[in-house]
Amino acid sequence: MSYSFNFGVIWANFDSLLFGLALGLALALAAIAIGTFIGLVCAFAAVSKVRLLQSLVAAYVTFIRNL
């Protein structure tokens, strides 16, 4: 078996590949930022003295873990 790599297809679509890379990185950074915000809000709610907030956070964490 002999394989011949055709990089012409890659170079012809290089702008689309770079756009996909940039989009993937932007979505990853947005997910990290949103996850960090949700985590901080839940952490502050979990250590608060309000029992309702503690219960809601415990239920949310249990639900997410079971997914």
Side-chain angles (χ1 to χ4, degrees):
M1 292 178 78
S2 175
Y3 292 103
S4 174
F5 294 107
N6 183 6
F7 289 104
V9 175
I10 292 173
W11 295 119
N13 296 304
F14 196 69
D15 55 341
S16 296
L17 290 170
L18 283 180
F19 176 74
L21 175 65
L23 180 62
L25 289 174
L27 287 173
L29 289 175
I32 290 169
I34 292 169
T36 301
F37 177 74
I38 291 172
L40 282 173
V41 168
C42 287
F44 287 133
V47 297
S48 73
K49 296 189 188 303
V50 180
R51 295 294 255 172
L52 179 62
L53 287 177
Q54 291 175 352
S55 299
L56 287 175
V57 169
Y60 172 75
V61 169
T62 302
F63 178 75
I64 294 298
R65 283 183 181 170
N66 287 320
L67 282 181

Short mmCIF file of all heavy atoms in Angstrom, two decimals:
data_model
loop_
_atom_site.label_atom_id
_atom_site.label_comp_id
_atom_site.label_asym_id
_atom_site.label_seq_id
_atom_site.Cartn_x
_atom_site.Cartn_y
_atom_site.Cartn_z
N MET A 1 0.84 -1.18 0.00
CA MET A 1 0.00 0.00 0.00
C MET A 1 0.88 1.23 0.00
O MET A 1 1.84 1.33 0.75
CB MET A 1 -0.89 0.01 1.24
CG MET A 1 -1.94 -1.09 1.23
SD MET A 1 -2.94 -1.12 2.72
CE MET A 1 -4.05 0.19 2.39
N SER A 2 0.49 2.16 -0.81
CA SER A 2 1.24 3.40 -0.90
C SER A 2 0.27 4.57 -0.72
O SER A 2 -0.74 4.66 -1.41
CB SER A 2 1.92 3.48 -2.26
OG SER A 2 2.54 4.72 -2.40
N TYR A 3 0.61 5.41 0.23
CA TYR A 3 -0.23 6.58 0.49
C TYR A 3 0.45 7.82 -0.05
O TYR A 3 1.67 7.97 0.04
CB TYR A 3 -0.47 6.75 1.98
CG TYR A 3 -1.33 5.65 2.57
CD1 TYR A 3 -0.77 4.63 3.32
CD2 TYR A 3 -2.70 5.65 2.37
CE1 TYR A 3 -1.53 3.63 3.85
CE2 TYR A 3 -3.48 4.66 2.91
CZ TYR A 3 -2.89 3.64 3.65
OH TYR A 3 -3.68 2.66 4.18
N SER A 4 -0.36 8.69 -0.57
CA SER A 4 0.15 9.97 -1.07
C SER A 4 -0.66 11.08 -0.41
O SER A 4 -1.87 11.18 -0.61
CB SER A 4 0.00 10.04 -2.59
OG SER A 4 0.37 11.31 -3.04
N PHE A 5 0.02 11.89 0.39
CA PHE A 5 -0.66 12.97 1.09
C PHE A 5 -0.80 14.17 0.16
O PHE A 5 0.16 14.61 -0.46
CB PHE A 5 0.10 13.37 2.34
CG PHE A 5 0.12 12.29 3.38
CD1 PHE A 5 1.27 11.57 3.62
CD2 PHE A 5 -1.03 11.99 4.10
CE1 PHE A 5 1.29 10.57 4.58
CE2 PHE A 5 -1.01 10.99 5.06
CZ PHE A 5 0.14 10.27 5.29
N ASN A 6 -2.03 14.69 0.08
CA ASN A 6 -2.31 15.83 -0.77
C ASN A 6 -2.57 17.03 0.13
O ASN A 6 -3.68 17.23 0.62
CB ASN A 6 -3.51 15.53 -1.66
CG ASN A 6 -3.81 16.66 -2.61
OD1 ASN A 6 -3.06 17.64 -2.69
ND2 ASN A 6 -4.90 16.54 -3.33
N PHE A 7 -1.56 17.85 0.37
CA PHE A 7 -1.70 19.01 1.24
C PHE A 7 -2.33 20.21 0.51
O PHE A 7 -2.59 21.22 1.13
CB PHE A 7 -0.34 19.41 1.81
CG PHE A 7 0.16 18.44 2.84
CD1 PHE A 7 1.16 17.54 2.53
CD2 PHE A 7 -0.38 18.42 4.11
CE1 PHE A 7 1.61 16.63 3.46
CE2 PHE A 7 0.06 17.52 5.06
CZ PHE A 7 1.06 16.61 4.73
N GLY A 8 -2.57 20.07 -0.76
CA GLY A 8 -3.22 21.15 -1.50
C GLY A 8 -4.61 21.46 -0.96
O GLY A 8 -5.05 22.61 -0.95
N VAL A 9 -5.31 20.42 -0.52
CA VAL A 9 -6.65 20.60 0.04
C VAL A 9 -6.56 21.40 1.34
O VAL A 9 -7.39 22.28 1.61
CB VAL A 9 -7.31 19.23 0.28
CG1 VAL A 9 -8.65 19.39 0.97
CG2 VAL A 9 -7.47 18.47 -1.01
N ILE A 10 -5.54 21.11 2.13
CA ILE A 10 -5.37 21.84 3.38
C ILE A 10 -5.06 23.30 3.12
O ILE A 10 -5.64 24.20 3.72
CB ILE A 10 -4.26 21.19 4.23
CG1 ILE A 10 -4.73 19.81 4.69
CG2 ILE A 10 -3.91 22.06 5.44
CD1 ILE A 10 -3.69 18.99 5.40
N TRP A 11 -4.14 23.57 2.22
CA TRP A 11 -3.77 24.96 1.93
C TRP A 11 -4.92 25.71 1.27
O TRP A 11 -5.07 26.92 1.48
CB TRP A 11 -2.53 25.02 1.05
CG TRP A 11 -1.32 24.49 1.74
CD1 TRP A 11 -0.56 23.44 1.34
CD2 TRP A 11 -0.74 24.96 2.95
NE1 TRP A 11 0.44 23.21 2.23
CE2 TRP A 11 0.36 24.15 3.23
CE3 TRP A 11 -1.05 25.98 3.85
CZ2 TRP A 11 1.17 24.32 4.35
CZ3 TRP A 11 -0.24 26.15 4.96
CH2 TRP A 11 0.84 25.34 5.21
N ALA A 12 -5.75 25.02 0.50
CA ALA A 12 -6.89 25.68 -0.14
C ALA A 12 -7.94 26.09 0.89
O ALA A 12 -8.67 27.06 0.67
CB ALA A 12 -7.51 24.77 -1.19
N ASN A 13 -8.04 25.35 1.98
CA ASN A 13 -9.04 25.63 3.01
C ASN A 13 -8.42 26.10 4.31
O ASN A 13 -9.03 25.99 5.38
CB ASN A 13 -9.87 24.37 3.27
CG ASN A 13 -10.65 23.95 2.06
OD1 ASN A 13 -11.42 24.73 1.51
ND2 ASN A 13 -10.43 22.73 1.62
N PHE A 14 -7.24 26.65 4.26
CA PHE A 14 -6.52 27.05 5.46
C PHE A 14 -7.24 28.13 6.24
O PHE A 14 -7.25 28.11 7.46
CB PHE A 14 -5.11 27.51 5.09
CG PHE A 14 -4.18 27.58 6.25
CD1 PHE A 14 -3.75 26.43 6.87
CD2 PHE A 14 -3.73 28.80 6.73
CE1 PHE A 14 -2.90 26.47 7.95
CE2 PHE A 14 -2.88 28.86 7.81
CZ PHE A 14 -2.46 27.70 8.43
N ASP A 15 -7.90 29.07 5.55
CA ASP A 15 -8.64 30.13 6.25
C ASP A 15 -9.82 29.55 7.04
O ASP A 15 -10.09 29.97 8.16
CB ASP A 15 -9.11 31.21 5.28
CG ASP A 15 -9.94 30.66 4.14
OD1 ASP A 15 -9.86 29.44 3.88
OD2 ASP A 15 -10.66 31.44 3.50
N SER A 16 -10.48 28.55 6.49
CA SER A 16 -11.58 27.90 7.21
C SER A 16 -11.06 27.13 8.42
O SER A 16 -11.69 27.12 9.48
CB SER A 16 -12.34 26.96 6.30
OG SER A 16 -12.96 27.68 5.25
N LEU A 17 -9.92 26.49 8.26
CA LEU A 17 -9.33 25.76 9.38
C LEU A 17 -8.91 26.71 10.49
O LEU A 17 -9.12 26.42 11.68
CB LEU A 17 -8.13 24.95 8.90
CG LEU A 17 -8.46 23.74 8.02
CD1 LEU A 17 -7.18 23.17 7.41
CD2 LEU A 17 -9.19 22.69 8.81
N LEU A 18 -8.34 27.85 10.15
CA LEU A 18 -7.96 28.83 11.17
C LEU A 18 -9.18 29.42 11.86
O LEU A 18 -9.17 29.67 13.06
CB LEU A 18 -7.12 29.94 10.56
CG LEU A 18 -5.66 29.59 10.28
CD1 LEU A 18 -4.94 30.79 9.68
CD2 LEU A 18 -4.97 29.14 11.54
N PHE A 19 -10.25 29.65 11.09
CA PHE A 19 -11.49 30.14 11.69
C PHE A 19 -12.05 29.12 12.67
O PHE A 19 -12.51 29.47 13.76
CB PHE A 19 -12.54 30.45 10.61
CG PHE A 19 -13.87 30.86 11.17
CD1 PHE A 19 -14.03 32.11 11.73
CD2 PHE A 19 -14.94 29.98 11.16
CE1 PHE A 19 -15.25 32.49 12.26
CE2 PHE A 19 -16.16 30.35 11.70
CZ PHE A 19 -16.31 31.61 12.24
N GLY A 20 -12.02 27.85 12.31
CA GLY A 20 -12.49 26.79 13.21
C GLY A 20 -11.65 26.71 14.47
O GLY A 20 -12.17 26.51 15.57
N LEU A 21 -10.34 26.89 14.33
CA LEU A 21 -9.46 26.89 15.49
C LEU A 21 -9.78 28.07 16.41
O LEU A 21 -9.89 27.90 17.63
CB LEU A 21 -8.00 26.96 15.05
CG LEU A 21 -6.96 27.09 16.15
CD1 LEU A 21 -6.95 25.85 17.03
CD2 LEU A 21 -5.60 27.35 15.56
N ALA A 22 -9.95 29.24 15.84
CA ALA A 22 -10.26 30.43 16.64
C ALA A 22 -11.62 30.28 17.31
O ALA A 22 -11.79 30.66 18.49
CB ALA A 22 -10.24 31.68 15.76
N LEU A 23 -12.58 29.74 16.61
CA LEU A 23 -13.92 29.53 17.19
C LEU A 23 -13.86 28.53 18.33
O LEU A 23 -14.48 28.74 19.39
CB LEU A 23 -14.90 29.05 16.11
CG LEU A 23 -16.32 28.80 16.56
CD1 LEU A 23 -16.97 30.08 17.08
CD2 LEU A 23 -17.14 28.21 15.42
N GLY A 24 -13.12 27.45 18.15
CA GLY A 24 -12.99 26.45 19.21
C GLY A 24 -12.32 27.03 20.45
O GLY A 24 -12.75 26.77 21.57
N LEU A 25 -11.27 27.83 20.26
CA LEU A 25 -10.61 28.45 21.39
C LEU A 25 -11.52 29.46 22.10
O LEU A 25 -11.54 29.54 23.32
CB LEU A 25 -9.32 29.13 20.94
CG LEU A 25 -8.18 28.18 20.56
CD1 LEU A 25 -7.00 28.98 19.98
CD2 LEU A 25 -7.75 27.35 21.73
N ALA A 26 -12.27 30.23 21.32
CA ALA A 26 -13.19 31.20 21.91
C ALA A 26 -14.29 30.50 22.71
O ALA A 26 -14.64 30.95 23.81
CB ALA A 26 -13.81 32.07 20.81
N LEU A 27 -14.82 29.42 22.19
CA LEU A 27 -15.85 28.68 22.92
C LEU A 27 -15.28 28.05 24.19
O LEU A 27 -15.96 28.02 25.23
CB LEU A 27 -16.46 27.60 22.02
CG LEU A 27 -17.38 28.09 20.92
CD1 LEU A 27 -17.79 26.95 20.01
CD2 LEU A 27 -18.61 28.76 21.51
N ALA A 28 -14.05 27.55 24.12
CA ALA A 28 -13.42 26.98 25.31
C ALA A 28 -13.22 28.05 26.38
O ALA A 28 -13.49 27.81 27.56
CB ALA A 28 -12.09 26.33 24.94
N LEU A 29 -12.74 29.21 25.99
CA LEU A 29 -12.54 30.29 26.96
C LEU A 29 -13.85 30.77 27.55
O LEU A 29 -13.94 31.06 28.75
CB LEU A 29 -11.79 31.45 26.31
CG LEU A 29 -10.31 31.20 26.00
CD1 LEU A 29 -9.72 32.38 25.25
CD2 LEU A 29 -9.55 30.93 27.27
N ALA A 30 -14.90 30.84 26.72
CA ALA A 30 -16.21 31.25 27.23
C ALA A 30 -16.75 30.21 28.22
O ALA A 30 -17.30 30.57 29.27
CB ALA A 30 -17.19 31.42 26.08
N ALA A 31 -16.56 28.93 27.92
CA ALA A 31 -17.03 27.87 28.82
C ALA A 31 -16.26 27.91 30.14
O ALA A 31 -16.85 27.72 31.21
CB ALA A 31 -16.88 26.50 28.16
N ILE A 32 -14.96 28.18 30.08
CA ILE A 32 -14.16 28.29 31.30
C ILE A 32 -14.63 29.47 32.14
O ILE A 32 -14.77 29.36 33.36
CB ILE A 32 -12.67 28.39 30.96
CG1 ILE A 32 -12.16 27.06 30.42
CG2 ILE A 32 -11.85 28.83 32.16
CD1 ILE A 32 -10.77 27.13 29.81
N ALA A 33 -14.88 30.60 31.50
CA ALA A 33 -15.33 31.79 32.22
C ALA A 33 -16.70 31.57 32.86
O ALA A 33 -16.91 31.91 34.03
CB ALA A 33 -15.37 32.99 31.29
N ILE A 34 -17.62 30.98 32.12
CA ILE A 34 -18.96 30.74 32.65
C ILE A 34 -18.90 29.71 33.78
O ILE A 34 -19.55 29.87 34.82
CB ILE A 34 -19.91 30.28 31.52
CG1 ILE A 34 -20.16 31.44 30.57
CG2 ILE A 34 -21.23 29.74 32.09
CD1 ILE A 34 -20.87 31.05 29.28
N GLY A 35 -18.11 28.67 33.60
CA GLY A 35 -17.97 27.66 34.65
C GLY A 35 -17.35 28.22 35.91
O GLY A 35 -17.74 27.87 37.03
N THR A 36 -16.36 29.10 35.74
CA THR A 36 -15.74 29.73 36.90
C THR A 36 -16.74 30.61 37.64
O THR A 36 -16.81 30.59 38.88
CB THR A 36 -14.52 30.57 36.47
OG1 THR A 36 -13.59 29.70 35.81
CG2 THR A 36 -13.86 31.25 37.64
N PHE A 37 -17.54 31.36 36.91
CA PHE A 37 -18.55 32.22 37.53
C PHE A 37 -19.57 31.38 38.30
O PHE A 37 -19.89 31.68 39.46
CB PHE A 37 -19.24 33.07 36.47
CG PHE A 37 -20.34 33.92 37.02
CD1 PHE A 37 -20.07 35.04 37.78
CD2 PHE A 37 -21.67 33.58 36.80
CE1 PHE A 37 -21.09 35.82 38.31
CE2 PHE A 37 -22.69 34.35 37.31
CZ PHE A 37 -22.40 35.47 38.06
N ILE A 38 -20.08 30.33 37.66
CA ILE A 38 -21.06 29.47 38.32
C ILE A 38 -20.45 28.82 39.56
O ILE A 38 -21.08 28.73 40.61
CB ILE A 38 -21.61 28.41 37.34
CG1 ILE A 38 -22.46 29.07 36.27
CG2 ILE A 38 -22.40 27.33 38.07
CD1 ILE A 38 -22.89 28.15 35.16
N GLY A 39 -19.20 28.38 39.44
CA GLY A 39 -18.53 27.76 40.58
C GLY A 39 -18.34 28.71 41.74
O GLY A 39 -18.55 28.34 42.90
N LEU A 40 -17.97 29.95 41.46
CA LEU A 40 -17.79 30.94 42.52
C LEU A 40 -19.11 31.28 43.20
O LEU A 40 -19.18 31.39 44.44
CB LEU A 40 -17.14 32.21 41.97
CG LEU A 40 -15.64 32.14 41.75
CD1 LEU A 40 -15.14 33.39 41.04
CD2 LEU A 40 -14.93 31.96 43.07
N VAL A 41 -20.15 31.46 42.41
CA VAL A 41 -21.47 31.76 42.98
C VAL A 41 -21.94 30.61 43.86
O VAL A 41 -22.42 30.82 44.98
CB VAL A 41 -22.50 32.07 41.86
CG1 VAL A 41 -23.91 32.11 42.41
CG2 VAL A 41 -22.16 33.38 41.18
N CYS A 42 -21.77 29.39 43.39
CA CYS A 42 -22.18 28.22 44.19
C CYS A 42 -21.32 28.08 45.44
O CYS A 42 -21.83 27.70 46.50
CB CYS A 42 -22.10 26.96 43.34
SG CYS A 42 -23.41 26.83 42.12
N ALA A 43 -20.03 28.38 45.34
CA ALA A 43 -19.16 28.27 46.52
C ALA A 43 -19.56 29.29 47.57
O ALA A 43 -19.61 28.96 48.77
CB ALA A 43 -17.71 28.47 46.10
N PHE A 44 -19.83 30.52 47.16
CA PHE A 44 -20.26 31.53 48.12
C PHE A 44 -21.61 31.19 48.72
O PHE A 44 -21.86 31.43 49.91
CB PHE A 44 -20.30 32.91 47.48
CG PHE A 44 -18.94 33.50 47.23
CD1 PHE A 44 -18.64 34.08 46.02
CD2 PHE A 44 -17.96 33.49 48.22
CE1 PHE A 44 -17.40 34.63 45.78
CE2 PHE A 44 -16.71 34.03 48.00
CZ PHE A 44 -16.42 34.61 46.77
N ALA A 45 -22.50 30.62 47.91
CA ALA A 45 -23.81 30.22 48.43
C ALA A 45 -23.68 29.04 49.39
O ALA A 45 -24.41 28.95 50.38
CB ALA A 45 -24.75 29.87 47.29
N ALA A 46 -22.73 28.14 49.13
CA ALA A 46 -22.57 26.95 49.98
C ALA A 46 -22.03 27.30 51.35
O ALA A 46 -22.34 26.62 52.33
CB ALA A 46 -21.65 25.95 49.30
N VAL A 47 -21.23 28.36 51.45
CA VAL A 47 -20.67 28.74 52.75
C VAL A 47 -21.48 29.83 53.44
O VAL A 47 -21.10 30.29 54.51
CB VAL A 47 -19.19 29.18 52.63
CG1 VAL A 47 -18.35 28.03 52.14
CG2 VAL A 47 -19.06 30.40 51.76
N SER A 48 -22.59 30.23 52.83
CA SER A 48 -23.42 31.24 53.46
C SER A 48 -24.18 30.64 54.64
O SER A 48 -24.24 29.43 54.82
CB SER A 48 -24.41 31.84 52.45
OG SER A 48 -25.43 30.91 52.17
N LYS A 49 -24.76 31.51 55.43
CA LYS A 49 -25.50 31.05 56.60
C LYS A 49 -26.98 30.78 56.28
O LYS A 49 -27.72 30.32 57.14
CB LYS A 49 -25.39 32.09 57.71
CG LYS A 49 -23.96 32.28 58.20
CD LYS A 49 -23.92 33.14 59.42
CE LYS A 49 -22.53 33.49 59.84
NZ LYS A 49 -21.65 32.38 60.09
N VAL A 50 -27.38 31.04 55.06
CA VAL A 50 -28.77 30.82 54.64
C VAL A 50 -28.93 29.34 54.25
O VAL A 50 -28.30 28.86 53.31
CB VAL A 50 -29.14 31.74 53.46
CG1 VAL A 50 -30.58 31.51 53.04
CG2 VAL A 50 -28.89 33.19 53.82
N ARG A 51 -29.76 28.63 54.99
CA ARG A 51 -29.94 27.19 54.76
C ARG A 51 -30.55 26.88 53.40
O ARG A 51 -30.24 25.86 52.80
CB ARG A 51 -30.82 26.59 55.86
CG ARG A 51 -30.21 26.64 57.23
CD ARG A 51 -29.01 25.77 57.33
NE ARG A 51 -29.33 24.57 58.07
CZ ARG A 51 -28.51 23.56 58.18
NH1 ARG A 51 -27.35 23.60 57.59
NH2 ARG A 51 -28.83 22.51 58.89
N LEU A 52 -31.43 27.75 52.93
CA LEU A 52 -32.06 27.52 51.63
C LEU A 52 -31.01 27.53 50.52
O LEU A 52 -31.03 26.67 49.63
CB LEU A 52 -33.13 28.57 51.36
CG LEU A 52 -33.85 28.46 50.01
CD1 LEU A 52 -34.59 27.14 49.93
CD2 LEU A 52 -34.77 29.62 49.80
N LEU A 53 -30.09 28.49 50.56
CA LEU A 53 -29.02 28.54 49.55
C LEU A 53 -28.13 27.31 49.63
O LEU A 53 -27.74 26.75 48.59
CB LEU A 53 -28.19 29.81 49.72
CG LEU A 53 -28.83 31.12 49.32
CD1 LEU A 53 -27.88 32.28 49.61
CD2 LEU A 53 -29.22 31.11 47.86
N GLN A 54 -27.81 26.88 50.83
CA GLN A 54 -26.98 25.69 50.99
C GLN A 54 -27.67 24.46 50.41
O GLN A 54 -27.04 23.64 49.75
CB GLN A 54 -26.66 25.46 52.47
CG GLN A 54 -25.74 26.49 53.06
CD GLN A 54 -25.54 26.29 54.56
OE1 GLN A 54 -26.20 25.45 55.17
NE2 GLN A 54 -24.65 27.07 55.14
N SER A 55 -28.96 24.36 50.65
CA SER A 55 -29.72 23.22 50.13
C SER A 55 -29.81 23.25 48.61
O SER A 55 -29.70 22.22 47.96
CB SER A 55 -31.13 23.20 50.73
OG SER A 55 -31.06 23.07 52.12
N LEU A 56 -30.02 24.45 48.07
CA LEU A 56 -30.10 24.56 46.61
C LEU A 56 -28.78 24.20 45.95
O LEU A 56 -28.76 23.51 44.93
CB LEU A 56 -30.52 25.98 46.22
CG LEU A 56 -31.98 26.35 46.48
CD1 LEU A 56 -32.21 27.83 46.17
CD2 LEU A 56 -32.90 25.48 45.66
N VAL A 57 -27.68 24.66 46.54
CA VAL A 57 -26.37 24.34 45.97
C VAL A 57 -26.09 22.85 46.10
O VAL A 57 -25.58 22.22 45.17
CB VAL A 57 -25.26 25.17 46.66
CG1 VAL A 57 -23.89 24.67 46.29
CG2 VAL A 57 -25.40 26.63 46.29
N ALA A 58 -26.44 22.26 47.22
CA ALA A 58 -26.24 20.82 47.40
C ALA A 58 -27.05 20.03 46.37
O ALA A 58 -26.55 19.06 45.78
CB ALA A 58 -26.62 20.40 48.81
N ALA A 59 -28.28 20.45 46.12
CA ALA A 59 -29.11 19.78 45.11
C ALA A 59 -28.53 19.97 43.71
O ALA A 59 -28.50 19.02 42.92
CB ALA A 59 -30.54 20.32 45.17
N TYR A 60 -28.06 21.17 43.41
CA TYR A 60 -27.46 21.44 42.10
C TYR A 60 -26.21 20.59 41.89
O TYR A 60 -26.05 19.97 40.83
CB TYR A 60 -27.13 22.93 41.98
CG TYR A 60 -26.33 23.28 40.76
CD1 TYR A 60 -26.94 23.33 39.50
CD2 TYR A 60 -24.98 23.57 40.84
CE1 TYR A 60 -26.21 23.64 38.37
CE2 TYR A 60 -24.24 23.88 39.71
CZ TYR A 60 -24.86 23.92 38.48
OH TYR A 60 -24.14 24.21 37.37
N VAL A 61 -25.34 20.54 42.89
CA VAL A 61 -24.11 19.75 42.77
C VAL A 61 -24.43 18.27 42.61
O VAL A 61 -23.84 17.57 41.79
CB VAL A 61 -23.19 20.00 43.98
CG1 VAL A 61 -22.04 19.02 44.02
CG2 VAL A 61 -22.67 21.43 43.95
N THR A 62 -25.39 17.78 43.37
CA THR A 62 -25.79 16.38 43.25
C THR A 62 -26.35 16.09 41.87
O THR A 62 -26.03 15.07 41.26
CB THR A 62 -26.83 16.03 44.33
OG1 THR A 62 -26.26 16.30 45.61
CG2 THR A 62 -27.25 14.58 44.25
N PHE A 63 -27.17 17.00 41.36
CA PHE A 63 -27.75 16.82 40.02
C PHE A 63 -26.66 16.80 38.95
O PHE A 63 -26.65 15.92 38.08
CB PHE A 63 -28.75 17.94 39.75
CG PHE A 63 -29.36 17.88 38.38
CD1 PHE A 63 -30.32 16.95 38.07
CD2 PHE A 63 -28.96 18.77 37.39
CE1 PHE A 63 -30.88 16.88 36.80
CE2 PHE A 63 -29.50 18.72 36.13
CZ PHE A 63 -30.46 17.77 35.83
N ILE A 64 -25.72 17.75 39.02
CA ILE A 64 -24.66 17.81 38.02
C ILE A 64 -23.76 16.59 38.10
O ILE A 64 -23.34 16.04 37.08
CB ILE A 64 -23.85 19.12 38.19
CG1 ILE A 64 -24.71 20.34 37.87
CG2 ILE A 64 -22.61 19.12 37.30
CD1 ILE A 64 -25.24 20.40 36.46
N ARG A 65 -23.45 16.15 39.29
CA ARG A 65 -22.61 14.94 39.45
C ARG A 65 -23.29 13.71 38.89
O ARG A 65 -22.63 12.82 38.36
CB ARG A 65 -22.28 14.71 40.92
CG ARG A 65 -21.22 15.62 41.45
CD ARG A 65 -20.91 15.28 42.89
NE ARG A 65 -19.89 16.17 43.43
CZ ARG A 65 -19.57 16.22 44.70
NH1 ARG A 65 -20.18 15.43 45.57
NH2 ARG A 65 -18.64 17.06 45.11
N ASN A 66 -24.60 13.63 39.01
CA ASN A 66 -25.32 12.46 38.52
C ASN A 66 -25.56 12.49 37.02
O ASN A 66 -26.01 11.49 36.47
CB ASN A 66 -26.65 12.30 39.27
CG ASN A 66 -26.44 11.81 40.67
OD1 ASN A 66 -25.59 10.96 40.90
ND2 ASN A 66 -27.20 12.34 41.61
N LEU A 67 -25.30 13.62 36.39
CA LEU A 67 -25.44 13.64 34.93
C LEU A 67 -24.35 12.83 34.31
O LEU A 67 -24.43 12.26 33.29
CB LEU A 67 -25.35 15.08 34.40
CG LEU A 67 -26.60 15.92 34.55
CD1 LEU A 67 -26.36 17.31 33.96
CD2 LEU A 67 -27.78 15.28 33.88
#
